[in-house]
Amino acid sequence: MYALGIDIGSTATKVVIVDDAAFVKASAICDLGAGTSGADKAVADAFSQLGIAWDDISYTVATGYGRQRFERANKQVSELSCHAKGLASQLPQTRTIIDIGGQDAKALRLGPGGMLENFVMNEKCAAGTGRFLDVMARVLESDISQLGELDAQARVPVEISSTCTVFAESEVISHLAAGESIPDIVAGIHVSVAKRTVGLVRRLGAVEGPVAMSGGVARNAGMVRALERELGMEISVPPNCQLCGALGAALYAIERAHRG
Ligand code: ADP
């Protein structure tokens, strides 16, 4: 018996398939989000890894921004619950989760046993989200996956004073025109996102450790380092950080399947 979790985000679609024993058997990430063919593509990718089809799936849970429109789902669960469950299954001691996705940033407080106790969210503005980093990477003619490595080469991060994505983009262009190095600009961008994110996290009150990070932006090691410095705390990142929401959905799905 298999169960499927799908996280249809604003920017990317993630799928995790687990077996009876809740072990991950296949996973896929497609860089297309809600309202696109991303869901079909990610599911097809995961199915092909196991040589299975929809008939082999006992229960499906959908989460993420596009969850309501995924007709194959037996149930929809909020991304907050799914991220909490997916992350706690890997790092059970976690008390605070920072989740930065394509178009929003969230901070979650977990109680003992991984129960979601409280959360805060920025979904009003691209600043402080993956979108901000995507825009800056494009201006710097770099791939988003290179930002972590570029950050590691920085000497003196530049200052980015605007929080608005459009103004910050102009600032980055001015820094480029002034001959600042790309690593120093990347590090400055990371510091600016980190300041904004830590402001969000502190709205939860005193930050309780251990802290962990989920979401696609956690794949950027430079961003994680900048957050650690700004927060003054260590941040753990599970190896499949972008899949946390889909993993949580798959774990809910297999529990439901067992309950019949
Ligand atoms: P959503 O669920 O909102 O679609 P995700 O959690 O999937 O968002 O994260 C998407 C974001 O992750 C992208 O906007 C991008 O900034 C970032 N990202 C994706 N892949 C990488 C990578 N290889 N390295 C660094 N950042 C990445």
Side-chain angles (χ1 to χ4, degrees):
M1 177 167 70
Y2 293 113
L4 185 145
I6 183 164
D7 176 4
I8 306 173
S10 60
T11 310
T13 303
K14 287 76 65 178
V15 167
V16 169
I17 297 176
V18 296
D19 67 6
D20 262 5
F23 282 123
V24 174
K25 302 308 278 185
S27 64
I29 298 176
C30 174
D31 284 334
L32 291 169
T36 70
S37 58
D40 291 341
K41 289 187 170 134
V43 168
D45 182 353
F47 280 178
S48 73
Q49 293 166 34
L50 293 174
I52 60 168
W54 275 114
D55 285 349
D56 302 300
I57 301 293
S58 309
Y59 203 94
T60 297
V61 168
T63 188
Y65 181 65
R67 66 182 179 274
Q68 303 296 351
R69 298 195 57 192
F70 189 66
E71 286 169 3
R72 290 274 188 179
N74 300 98
K75 189 175 166 58
Q76 284 89 20
V77 176
S78 85
E79 59 255 51
L80 294 163
S81 303
C82 287
H83 271 271
K85 191 167 184 76
L87 206 139
S89 74
Q90 301 175 84
L91 299 168
Q93 307 305 322
T94 304
R95 286 290 167 273
T96 302
I97 302 178
I98 299 171
D99 167 36
I100 312 185
Q103 275 182 32
D104 61 22
K106 307 178 191 86
L108 288 68
R109 165 161 313 145
L110 306 187
M115 285 293 291
L116 181 63
E117 280 184 346
N118 196 5
F119 74 95
V120 286
M121 188 163 176
N122 156 33
E123 53 177 345
K124 299 268 184 294
C125 171
T129 72
R131 179 89 186 117
F132 184 89
L133 295 164
D134 295 338
V135 167
M136 300 311 159
R138 203 173 49 238
V139 175
L140 296 170
E141 297 182 81
S142 303
D143 190 83
I144 191 76
S145 62
Q146 296 174 301
L147 296 190
E149 231 168 86
L150 288 165
D151 178 284
Q153 297 160 28
R155 294 155 76 95
V156 185
V158 300
E159 179 130 3
I160 310 275
S161 51
S162 312
T163 44
C164 166
T165 308
V166 177
F167 291 147
E169 185 181 4
S170 308
E171 268 190 72
V172 166
I173 293 167
S174 322
H175 283 305
L176 278 173
E180 296 284 3
S181 79
I182 291 199
D184 285 351
I185 300 175
V186 169
I189 291 165
H190 288 159
V191 169
S192 116
V193 175
K195 283 192 176 15
R196 207 177 159 90
T197 307
V198 168
L200 179 77
V201 179
R202 294 209 192 284
R203 280 171 37 203
L204 281 174
V207 182
E208 282 179 33
V211 182
M213 200 172 160
S214 65
V217 171
R219 294 175 69 178
N220 175 345
M223 193 60 249
V224 178
R225 284 191 299 270
L227 275 165
E228 288 185 318
R229 280 193 301 269
E230 199 60 36
L231 199 58
M233 293 170 89
E234 207 178 298
I235 300 176
S236 305
V237 180
N240 52 4
C241 53
Q242 197 172 4
L243 288 169
C244 272
L247 173 62
L251 296 176
Y252 277 120
I254 196 68
E255 282 171 15
R256 287 267 165 171
H258 282 310
R259 272 188 252 153

